[in-house]
Amino acid sequence: MTAKNLLVELFVEELPPKALKKLGEAFSAALSASLKKDGLAGDNAVVTAYASPRRLAAHITGVSAVAADKPVVQKLMPVAVGLDASGNATPALLKKLAALGADASAVAGLRRENDGKADILFYDSLAKGATLAEGLQKAVEAALAALPIPKVMTYQLADGWSTVNFVRPAHALVALHGSDVVPVAVLGMNSGRATKGHRFEAAVDPVVIADADSYAATLLKDGSVIASFAERRAEIVRQLEAAAAKAGENGSAPLRPIEDDALLDEVTALVERPNVLVGQFEEEFLAVPQECLILTMKANQKYFPLLDATGKLTNKFLVVSNISPDDASAVIGGNERVVRPRLADAKFFFDQDRKKSLESRVIGLSKVVYHNKLGTQGERVQRVAAIARAIADHLGGSALTQQAEQAAVLAKADLLTDMVGEFPELQGIMGRYYAQHDGLAADVADAIEDHYKPRFAGDSLPRGRVGTVVALADKLETLVGMFGIGQIPTGDKDPFALRRHALGVIRMLAEGDLDLPLYQLLDATFARFNGIEGFQLNINALADFIYDRLAGNLREQGYTAQEVDAVVSQRPQRLGDIVKRLAAVRAFSALPEATALAAANKRVGNILKKVEGTVDAVVDNALLKEAAEVALHDALVDVVPRADAAFVTGDYTESLTALAALRAPVDAFFDGVMVNADDPALRANRLGLLAKLHAAMNQIADLSKLSA
């Protein structure tokens, strides 16, 4: 039969908005996967997902009414077991065939094949292809079972007795193959072609879908619903931009809506046919930090605040309404009345918080539990301040030390403010505003906000040296503290965001090119946890964790696995050198001598590993007997000082390039010199020569990692 396009829609009550996009994608993906598995849809079938607040749907092209029959190969048993000496079927074979729905007449058609041990009997047959009704029933059930439902609810069906479990009560099921209804039954419903449109603005009720291909157009025309999540989102973006432009026509500068993909997705999941309107609030509220106003409008009201060209908040905002009345003044007025108390609350919190200084709140942190094994926030602040002081002392400058310690002490104080209590997302941000109100230095105020940075991948780093010091101290305290009490991330579980903290430390050390050796930082941080019962830290394990994050981050930046492994395996202490080391390794790899030297380095490393004890890089010239070992020693005497001098100045590329001159003498050495000589003194001297070579070749990176 000719393939036709298929449409399946599940009409339900309002779905969870934050989950709608994933629900729509999962529904269509699972539906199509099941149909393809049964041979009802081809691998090249085009799948279109639909998702609106009250429906999940999928349109799939080229779906067959009946799947093609499938050849089935059934391995039976060895010939010696299935056939007697006369070639007749044994009872065991007849029983096996009967279980497969065949009889003795099938014996003559059995196929023989040797599996390498014995001749085996195989039964070849054709499995009847599934009908669309059978396949779709299974596919819909599988799709519903696979939905990433945040929370399942139980509800009663119309018969008053039966109950079903689903994310929301379902009321209609549409299943159309072309223009034909496919009989399917789920959640107490039988399939048909009728659905419902917009709650308030549908032209007809119910909305009848003539065929699979007219689904979206019919819903738009008769139901006033844009079924496609992507199309509805794009329409909202278009209207937001148009409304912002219009709202700024009478002002001195153009306006733009705030960019927030998560908010845009959520609003798209709340409306079936969007209508963007402009509202405004009293300008007096703009005296409140704009982060507070923006957050309350976004989080509580799902509004899009309007910013001017400089990014400053205006007193106008955009509402994405689900209705389009001729006179929208009532809708606009209602939204303005609703947002006003929210903004008034924010203003009240801001005014009340400023009546107490940040410093006066610090003592209250001693009553806030940080972790039952690590004490209170007050104790944590003391540790962070001590770590910050140690870092600042190392970087130099009494002014930096004083400001870093002050910022570290005050950094968590805003946790006790009303504003942060209402909006935890504003911690640090509000601390900066309150520090400015208290008359603190700009660097200290900025550091209070910035000590949380980077908050996520791609986030900006702290804007000043004080903020960098406090941010490093805060993240190191968290890493060392959590590792010390055994809270190490496993698999996908990382409740304390230690991976993010490690990447933050890496970025600040590397991008800031700070002269702060990693192990020294970890040791200094560990020292601040003295006296905590049961605290045990394996510093090497924590360092490995950080270097693993570093390696992954570098690979994401485009460096090859070999380049990264060569550098990171050396555990460089100054992470600010990493990029220069990688550049040097890349330049070295391009040299014609690189491959041979990398292989030789690997060979040297393997030889030295087999030696018991430590091999000192010391050579006695009097014991250099062979011409090749003399030549290698002379080459090292010439090359090593040049490589070391370049290394000291930080010219790692020049340092590695200098090693190219070693290729010929190294090759000659391995061709003509027996390292493991019978004479112990001679053997020890040659091992010392190799140790000297190994040290020279691995100062910047482990070049053996470049060997294939």
Side-chain angles (χ1 to χ4, degrees):
M1 297 180 68
T2 305
K4 301 177 184 177
N5 295 340
L6 176 72
L7 184 283
V8 179
E9 184 210 67
L10 186 67
F11 178 77
V12 298
E13 293 182 14
E14 277 75 4
L15 291 159
K18 291 184 179 180
L20 180 64
K21 186 179 181 182
K22 286 186 177 179
L23 289 173
E25 292 168 350
F27 181 73
S28 61
L31 202 66
S32 62
S34 182
L35 293 174
K36 288 177 181 179
K37 183 179 179 182
D38 284 344
L40 290 163
D43 291 337
N44 59 346
V46 178
V47 183
T48 304
Y50 295 100
S52 82
R54 298 201 293 162
R55 72 200 75 240
L56 299 174
H59 180 275
I60 306 170
T61 63
V63 177
S64 301
V66 180
D69 295 343
K70 290 183 178 180
V72 177
V73 177
Q74 182 70 43
K75 183 178 180 181
L76 299 177
M77 58 190 66
V79 172
V81 177
L83 300 176
D84 60 21
S86 302
N88 297 317
T90 63
L93 177 58
L94 293 174
K95 184 178 181 180
K96 181 69 173 179
L97 288 172
L100 297 173
D103 55 24
S105 64
V107 174
L110 296 182
R111 180 166 50 85
R112 300 186 186 196
E113 190 174 313
N114 191 287
D115 67 353
K117 295 181 180 179
D119 286 342
I120 306 296
L121 291 172
F122 289 86
Y123 175 55
D124 298 329
S125 62
L126 282 177
K128 199 72 175 174
T131 65
L132 181 55
E134 296 167 343
L136 187 57
Q137 178 68 45
K138 185 171 70 172
V140 173
E141 290 174 354
L144 296 185
L147 286 179
I149 298 174
K151 189 175 182 181
V152 175
M153 66 180 294
T154 300
Y155 61 93
Q156 197 173 56
L157 298 180
D159 62 13
W161 295 97
S162 307
T163 59
V164 294
N165 299 318
F166 196 53
V167 59
R168 292 290 185 270
H171 297 294
L173 176 66
V174 176
L176 294 175
H177 186 227
S179 59
D180 300 324
V181 174
V182 184
V184 180
V186 291
L187 301 176
M189 303 174 300
N190 293 316
S191 58
R193 64 174 71 251
T195 184
K196 289 183 176 292
H198 195 287
R199 274 195 185 276
F200 310 110
E201 298 186 351
V204 297
D205 185 29
V207 176
V208 178
I209 311 299
D211 56 65
D213 292 344
S214 64
Y215 172 72
T218 302
L219 262 183
L220 182 61
K221 175 177 172 290
D222 295 341
S224 196
V225 171
I226 300 176
S228 168
F229 189 96
E231 290 179 15
R232 207 164 56 255
R233 191 180 193 272
E235 174 62 15
I236 292 174
V237 170
R238 186 192 67 78
Q239 290 192 34
L240 287 173
E241 292 174 351
K246 187 174 181 180
E249 286 178 354
N250 297 326
S252 58
L255 304 183
R256 60 180 176 85
I258 194 166
E259 295 180 7
D260 190 320
D261 285 340
L263 176 62
L264 187 54
D265 284 344
E266 187 174 0
V267 170
T268 302
L270 286 169
V271 298
E272 292 183 306
R273 191 167 188 178
N275 178 32
V276 174
L277 305 170
V278 181
Q280 63 181 25
F281 54 85
E282 289 78 3
E283 290 190 1
E284 65 185 71
F285 289 121
L286 293 176
V288 179
Q290 69 178 47
E291 292 91 343
C292 307
L293 304 181
I294 289 172
L295 186 58
T296 192
M297 283 190 280
K298 286 180 4 181
N300 295 321
Q301 306 304 133
K302 315 305 176 190
Y303 297 160
F304 287 83
L306 284 174
L307 312 177
D308 64 19
T310 66
K312 185 178 179 181
L313 180 68
T314 69
N315 69 323
K316 294 181 179 180
F317 59 90
L318 301 179
V319 180
V320 183
S321 174
N322 194 36
I323 56 175
S324 304
D326 293 334
D327 181 4
S329 59
V331 178
I332 295 171
N335 280 281
E336 290 175 343
R337 284 194 300 274
V338 169
V339 77
R340 194 171 292 117
R342 295 286 189 181
L343 302 181
D345 285 346
K347 185 176 186 303
F348 175 78
F349 293 148
F350 185 55
D351 291 341
Q352 289 297 112
D353 286 342
R354 288 182 296 171
K355 292 179 180 179
K356 292 179 64 177
S357 68
L358 282 178
E359 187 176 3
S360 70
R361 296 179 186 275
V362 172
I363 192 171
L365 293 172
S366 62
K367 299 178 182 179
V368 180
V369 175
Y370 167 53
H371 191 284
N372 62 346
K373 293 183 179 180
L374 295 175
T376 66
Q377 282 284 7
E379 292 170 314
R380 183 188 181 207
V381 162
Q382 292 176 10
R383 290 194 294 268
V384 173
I387 298 165
R389 185 169 58 247
I391 293 173
D393 284 344
H394 183 86
L395 292 176
S398 59
L400 175 62
T401 300
Q402 180 185 356
Q403 289 190 326
E405 185 174 8
Q406 182 183 25
V409 169
L410 300 176
K412 306 295 181 184
D414 67 349
L415 296 177
L416 300 180
T417 63
D418 291 339
M419 187 70 83
V420 175
E422 180 72 13
F423 300 112
E425 302 93 330
L426 295 176
Q427 55 190 279
I429 294 172
M430 295 313 303
R432 175 174 174 270
Y433 280 107
Y434 297 142
Q436 290 174 333
H437 179 265
D438 293 345
L440 301 181
D443 286 344
V444 173
D446 289 345
I448 290 173
E449 176 181 350
D450 289 354
H451 87 280
Y452 288 105
K453 293 181 179 179
R455 295 173 183 255
F456 51 84
D459 190 19
S460 60
L461 296 179
R463 69 197 86 180
R465 184 57 64 96
V466 179
T468 299
V469 169
V470 181
L472 270 173
D474 183 70
K475 288 170 176 57
L476 287 167
E477 192 277 341
T478 301
L479 286 164
V480 170
M482 291 305 163
F483 264 73
I485 59 173
Q487 293 290 340
I488 301 173
T490 56
D492 294 334
K493 296 181 179 179
D494 188 8
F496 298 99
L498 300 188
R499 294 186 179 95
R500 177 168 57 80
H501 284 303
L503 282 172
V505 170
I506 289 165
R507 284 190 58 198
M508 284 184 280
L509 292 176
E511 295 177 31
D513 195 14
L514 301 179
D515 185 18
L516 293 168
L518 182 61
Y519 270 90
Q520 187 174 323
L521 281 174
L522 297 180
D523 283 333
T525 303
F526 178 43
R528 310 305 166 184
F529 286 85
N530 286 337
I532 296 180
E533 185 178 352
F535 191 89
Q536 293 183 330
L537 177 67
N538 183 335
I539 286 185
N540 288 327
L542 176 52
D544 288 344
F545 177 79
I546 294 172
Y547 282 119
D548 284 346
R549 305 284 82 70
L550 172 63
N553 181 254
L554 292 172
R555 287 192 293 269
E556 288 176 0
Q557 293 179 42
Y559 295 103
T560 68
Q562 284 183 318
E563 291 169 344
V564 171
D565 197 17
V567 171
V568 176
S569 64
Q570 295 295 81
R571 295 294 190 261
Q573 291 301 293
R574 284 194 76 254
L575 301 192
D577 285 346
I578 291 291
V579 173
K580 288 196 296 184
R581 287 174 184 255
L582 284 164
V585 167
R586 183 165 287 184
F588 174 80
S589 298
L591 297 174
E593 299 87 355
T595 301
L597 284 174
N601 189 43
K602 188 173 184 178
R603 185 175 180 181
V604 171
N606 290 335
I607 291 172
L608 295 176
K609 283 178 185 176
K610 294 177 182 178
V611 180
E612 292 185 9
T614 303
V615 178
D616 294 327
V618 177
V619 178
D620 183 349
N621 292 353
L623 293 175
L624 296 173
K625 303 296 184 182
E626 302 289 344
E629 61 183 329
V630 172
L632 177 58
H633 180 262
D634 290 345
L636 286 172
V637 170
D638 175 57
V639 168
V640 170
R642 289 190 286 118
D644 286 349
F647 179 83
V648 170
T649 61
D651 191 347
Y652 298 148
T653 299
E654 176 60 30
S655 182
L656 281 183
T657 301
L659 299 178
L662 295 174
R663 178 185 174 178
V666 167
D667 288 347
F669 177 87
F670 281 118
D671 288 341
V673 177
M674 174 67 72
V675 176
N676 292 318
D678 292 335
D679 183 343
L682 201 58
R683 181 170 63 250
N685 200 57
R686 288 171 180 173
L687 288 172
L689 181 61
L690 290 183
K692 191 170 184 179
L693 172 65
H694 195 257
M697 295 180 72
N698 292 278
Q699 196 166 206
I700 293 165
D702 183 351
L703 300 184
S704 70
K705 302 293 184 181
L706 303 177
S707 177

